[in-house]
């Protein structure tokens, strides 16, 4: 996969017997299909669970990427039903629909 975006998240299982683990979410580069629509590959790298995700599509490259982000959000809902997801740096809890879009950098200071 030619990756154009990825996000690391920490998964904290609700089961105390399981350890926290880092997962990686990826969105691939859009490519045109023979029917003139576009598709992207999406992937979740988790050392404890093997995911086989189908490509998602859109009417153009941008639409395919947006579909990929939405597609990943639906899959990571699986994690939020079994524990919680946080940003590794800040430890902030995430809702599934924002897991890929969450900014891990420190926001700029605002002038008062």
């Amino acid at each position: 996969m030619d990756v154009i975006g990825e996000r690391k998240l920490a998964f904290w299982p609700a089961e105390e017997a399981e350890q926290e683990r880092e997962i990686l979410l990826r969105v691939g580069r859009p490519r045109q299909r023979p029917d003139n629509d576009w598709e992207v590959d999406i992937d979740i790298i988790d050392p404890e669970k093997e995911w086989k995700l189908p490509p998602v599509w859109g009417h153009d490259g941008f639409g395919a990427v947006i579909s990929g982000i939405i597609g990943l959000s639906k899959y990571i809902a699986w994690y939020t039903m079994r524990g919680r997801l946080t940003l590794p740096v800040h430890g902030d809890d995430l809702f599934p629909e924002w897991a890929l879009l969450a900014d891990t950098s420190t926001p700029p200071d605002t002038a008062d």
Side-chain angles (χ1 to χ4, degrees):
M1 171 190 314
D2 185 12
V3 176
I4 62 168
E6 65 182 36
R7 171 74 63 206
K8 285 183 183 178
L9 299 174
F11 174 58
W12 300 82
E15 298 290 326
E16 292 195 18
E18 292 186 58
Q19 296 289 327
E20 170 215 353
R21 64 185 185 260
E22 194 169 83
I23 62 172
L24 184 63
L25 309 175
R26 290 182 174 167
V27 175
R29 183 171 306 283
R31 62 185 177 278
Q32 196 163 16
R33 300 178 347 171
D35 62 3
N36 289 328
D37 281 334
W38 290 74
E39 69 181 18
V40 298
D41 292 318
I42 56 176
D43 199 8
I44 300 174
I45 310 296
D46 180 340
E48 299 292 321
K49 179 161 178 54
E50 183 178 341
W51 291 96
K52 293 185 187 217
L53 308 179
V56 295
W57 64 275
H59 294 296
D60 56 22
F62 182 72
V65 170
I66 295 299
S67 293
I69 292 170
I70 292 169
L72 277 174
S73 292
K74 290 177 181 179
Y75 282 102
I76 62 172
W78 181 91
Y79 288 98
T80 59
M81 288 188 282
R82 289 162 178 79
R84 55 177 239 214
L85 289 173
T86 64
L87 294 171
V89 176
H90 299 290
D92 299 330
D93 284 347
L94 298 175
F95 294 103
E97 60 272 18
W98 295 111
L100 273 179
L101 302 176
D103 184 7
T104 60
S105 64
T106 304
D109 290 334
T110 57
D112 291 330

